[in-house]
């Protein structure tokens, strides 16, 4: 474990590498989701397998989450993107990295690859989308519900979660409510500048997008294929938003294959393709 000052915000970072002393073949940076998530969702699913496959694996708690610092303000999407840029500088990681983003972590990954295309070899996102106007509207609704339902448990939401999802999930939900209530994260994120289709089209690195077949985000698959010429989308039937936790082996295999295929990403030649996995 390490705490690294990334341009004024202290971030909790974990790093795994090949255990046999081999040099890493590439660097994968794993970005988690919003509010209830942390680097633990990777640490206990795919990260060890990525390291065993020869990757240098970097995971960190995003600002306000996990063991990272929780400032009162400064939660714009640009701030999250800036944290990633500063972290790569502080870790002195050479060359382009492979970004793996779950949910909001994928949104940060899209934004970073557009801002710093020279530092990104590929993107793999799980249940995620770029920061479009549609994304901003959904996020505003989600943050509003969290603020209302988790503030004082007046609706009994936390009791329901504890009964039906367990104490650990209830504690995460309570922490999410505290983050929304005690910081400007809701105001900052919902006020961020969204991406136009032309800006998304400017993204040229290879993109793998994995969705639960029963998730409402699965409708992002055709949009991404239409906008991004180097995009592969995969739908995993029987899953909704918690694909990373529910189907870690499938996510692991898909992402490792994508990184291997794009370890030395070349000219723009790959065609967009959709895959449905039984």
């Amino acid at each position: 474990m390490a705490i690294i000052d990334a341009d004024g915000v202290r971030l909790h970072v974990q790093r795994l590498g090949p255990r046999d002393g081999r040099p890493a073949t590439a660097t994968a940076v794993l970005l988690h989701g919003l509010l209830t998530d942390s680097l633990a969702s990777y640490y206990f699913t795919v990260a060890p397998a990525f390291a065993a496959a020869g990757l240098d694996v970097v995971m960190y708690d995003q600002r306000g989450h996990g063991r990272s610092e929780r400032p009162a303000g400064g939660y714009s999407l640009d701030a999250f993107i800036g944290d990633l840029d500063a972290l790569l500088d502080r870790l002195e990681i050479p060359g382009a990295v492979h970004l793996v983003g779950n949910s909001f972590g994928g949104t940060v990954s899209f934004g970073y690859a557009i801002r710093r295309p020279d530092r990104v070899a590929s993107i793999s996102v799980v249940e995620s989308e770029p920061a479009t106007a549609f994304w901003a509207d959904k996020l505003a609704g989600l943050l509003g519900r969290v603020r209302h339902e988790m503030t004082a448990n007046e609706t009994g939401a936390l009791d329901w979660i504890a009964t039906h999802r367990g104490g650990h999930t209830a504690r995460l939900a309570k922490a999410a409510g505290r983050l929304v209530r005690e910081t400007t994260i809701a105001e900052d994120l919902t006020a961020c500048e969204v991406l136009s289709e032309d800006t998304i089209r400017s993204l040229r690195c290879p993109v793998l997008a994995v969705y639960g077949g029963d998730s409402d985000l699965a409708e992002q698959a055709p949009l991404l294929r239409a906008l991004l010429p180097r995009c592969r989308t995969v739908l995993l039937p029987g899953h909704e938003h918690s694909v990373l936790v529910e189907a870690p082996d499938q996510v692991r295999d898909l992402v490792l294959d994508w990184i291997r295929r794009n370890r030395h990403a070349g000219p723009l030649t790959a065609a967009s393709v959709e895959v449905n996995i039984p």
Side-chain angles (χ1 to χ4, degrees):
M1 182 184 80
I3 300 295
I4 292 179
D5 189 327
D7 200 19
V9 176
R10 295 186 300 276
L11 300 178
H12 167 224
V13 181
Q14 295 275 6
R15 197 166 184 175
L16 301 176
R19 293 183 177 180
D20 57 6
R22 290 176 299 159
T25 57
T27 298
V29 181
L30 316 185
L31 295 96
H32 65 74
L34 195 64
L35 299 184
T36 59
D37 207 358
S38 71
L39 66 77
S41 62
Y42 286 114
Y43 192 89
F44 293 107
T45 56
V46 297
F50 288 174
L55 297 178
D56 172 23
V57 180
V58 176
M59 357 170 215
Y60 67 101
D61 288 328
Q62 301 206 58
R63 60 170 60 205
H65 296 72
R67 297 181 179 179
S68 287
E69 183 179 359
R70 190 180 74 187
Y75 290 91
S76 67
L77 183 57
D78 278 348
F80 285 98
I81 292 170
D83 288 345
L84 174 57
D85 201 37
L87 182 65
L88 295 181
D89 284 343
R90 290 299 305 274
L91 294 177
E92 298 182 343
I93 295 176
V97 301
H98 300 268
L99 300 179
V100 182
N102 182 47
S103 193
F104 177 71
T107 305
V108 176
S109 299
F110 280 118
Y112 186 73
I114 289 170
R115 179 188 294 185
R116 293 297 309 268
D118 57 307
R119 299 190 87 166
V120 181
S122 76
I123 296 177
S124 299
V125 299
V126 181
E127 277 290 301
S128 186
E129 58 191 312
T132 63
F134 184 60
W135 167 84
D137 287 343
K138 288 192 298 181
L139 184 62
L142 168 66
L143 293 171
R145 289 194 302 274
V146 169
R147 170 174 284 163
H148 172 69
E149 295 177 0
M150 304 304 169
T151 294
N153 199 26
E154 293 178 356
T155 63
L158 290 175
D159 293 337
W160 186 94
I161 293 171
T163 300
H164 295 84
R165 298 288 185 264
H168 176 65
T169 302
R171 287 190 293 274
L172 292 176
K174 185 176 181 180
R178 190 164 56 247
L179 176 63
V180 171
R181 186 174 64 253
E182 297 177 358
T183 74
T184 61
I185 189 169
E187 294 82 359
D188 294 348
L189 280 178
T190 53
C192 74
E193 183 176 353
V194 297
L195 302 177
S196 67
E197 289 192 353
D198 285 343
T199 301
I200 296 172
R201 284 192 185 96
S202 71
L203 182 62
R204 283 296 180 262
C205 70
V207 176
L208 169 68
V210 181
Y211 298 102
D214 300 331
S215 168
D216 60 351
L217 278 174
E219 64 188 26
Q220 290 295 316
L223 172 65
L224 289 179
R225 292 197 308 274
L227 294 176
L228 302 175
R230 303 185 77 180
C231 178
R232 181 193 184 201
T233 61
V234 178
L235 305 182
L236 300 181
H239 296 287
E240 296 184 359
H241 192 59
S242 300
V243 172
L244 177 62
V245 174
E246 294 174 358
D249 291 347
Q250 288 173 290
V251 172
R252 173 201 64 205
D253 292 345
L254 288 165
V255 173
L256 282 176
D257 179 67
W258 193 247
I259 291 175
R260 290 189 189 104
R261 289 171 180 263
N262 296 286
R263 189 167 297 154
H264 306 290
L268 186 60
T269 56
S272 299
V273 60
E274 176 180 16
V275 178
N276 287 276
I277 294 184

